[in-house]
Amino acid sequence: MERKQKPSAAPWVPETRNLNRLREASKNCEGCGLYQNATRTVFGEGGRNARVILVGEQPGDEEDIQGRPFVGPAGKLLNRALEAAAVDRSELYVTNAVKHFKFEPRGKRRIHAKPNVAEISACRPWLEAEVAAVKPQLIVAMGSTAARSVMGRETRVMTERGHFLPHDRAESALITVHPSALLRIPEHDRREAEWGLFVRDLGMINEWLKKHPIG
Ligand code: URA
Ligand code: SF4
């Protein structure tokens, strides 16, 4: 019986820990169908010696245009939350679980579509390569897509968030919500409360860095 090969970025991921080489190679990835409609691959950004990797879901419309992670509305919200938590974004390596923008066209607009399990798993070799290159102490996953890719399993964000979890490629992992989820909460009070929890979770990055000095 013939088995259909699972989509995977693996054939496009070079065996290197050089981030620039990885970024260059990612431009040609055809590991799953998402490259076909997106404008470009959006690779991670930040220092190769960053002690923390922050992982989102996938690029949005603006990220797809600019080719940089978290530069659109979700990115602005993320910046505000990081600021409120006194975390310096320049100390982080910021990336996404899925490197191409998945969307559905609606008139002239492109509406975000959630990547499925096969796409998340297809793109995982890029995240693994980024983790191998940066060698972070802490990996922070925002939302269920990131958490699935980072933990390699399905997670329950609401119960697993806000705790340092064991991880085999870093000293710890931390799960929190995705900033875009906050934008979708209609009630003001609940939105404010969730915002507070998101800032609290991000504040754990500083807690971690203080408790684990370099060297
Ligand atoms: N949402 C994400 O998860 N990542 C981005 O880069 C932008 C929006
Ligand atoms: Fe490759 Fe990931 Fe883009 Fe799919 S989403 S084509 S696996 S880079």
Side-chain angles (χ1 to χ4, degrees):
M1 197 167 65
E2 226 181 283
R3 262 187 36 214
K4 209 172 155 241
Q5 264 209 325
K6 275 198 199 159
S8 173
W12 283 270
V13 182
E15 278 215 26
T16 175
R17 293 192 169 181
N18 182 306
L19 275 177
N20 289 330
R21 278 198 215 127
L22 288 167
R23 174 176 290 107
E24 274 308 300
S26 76
K27 292 178 181 166
N28 303 318
C29 186
E30 299 182 1
C32 76
L34 295 185
Y35 76 93
Q36 292 171 9
N37 297 326
T39 312
R40 54 177 59 81
T41 310
V42 178
F43 204 67
E45 257 186 23
R48 65 188 163 89
N49 295 319
R51 293 163 68 198
V52 181
I53 289 192
L54 187 61
V55 186
E57 183 195 59
Q58 63 166 347
D61 186 87
E62 191 60 35
E63 287 78 14
D64 173 79
I65 293 164
Q66 291 193 35
R68 303 181 58 198
F70 283 107
V71 291
K76 297 216 165 67
L77 204 63
L78 174 63
N79 287 345
R80 267 178 45 212
L82 288 171
E83 213 172 292
V87 175
D88 186 351
R89 181 164 164 172
S90 69
E91 285 197 44
L92 313 172
Y93 181 88
V94 179
T95 191
N96 285 299
V98 172
K99 305 307 196 234
H100 275 105
F101 178 35
K102 182 178 181 181
F103 61 91
E104 266 149 34
R106 202 164 300 162
K108 281 187 188 155
R109 294 186 59 206
R110 304 189 296 174
I111 308 295
H112 166 276
K114 214 172 156 57
N116 62 35
V117 175
E119 290 154 348
I120 298 167
S121 129
C123 211
R124 194 161 180 249
W126 288 119
L127 182 61
E128 283 174 349
E130 288 174 296
V131 170
V134 176
K135 297 187 287 301
Q137 293 179 337
L138 178 66
I139 307 178
V140 182
M142 298 187 293
S144 63
T145 295
R148 176 183 281 277
S149 187
V150 165
M151 303 307 288
R153 61 173 170 86
E154 196 176 350
T155 61
R156 278 181 297 170
V157 172
M158 283 320 195
T159 53
E160 296 190 64
R161 73 180 298 181
H163 302 282
F164 292 116
L165 305 168
H167 196 277
D168 55 1
R169 300 294 173 88
E171 289 171 41
S172 266
L174 175 67
I175 296 174
T176 188
V177 296
H178 193 283
S180 298
L182 300 172
L183 292 171
R184 292 192 294 264
I185 302 175
E187 310 87 20
H188 173 268
D189 288 0
R190 201 161 70 82
R191 196 166 57 240
E192 289 296 302
E194 284 299 328
W195 171 260
L197 292 177
F198 182 49
V199 171
R200 175 207 65 182
D201 290 351
L202 292 177
M204 290 177 71
I205 296 174
N206 277 343
E207 193 187 309
W208 174 276
L209 292 175
K210 279 200 203 106
K211 275 198 203 141
H212 299 78
I214 317 165

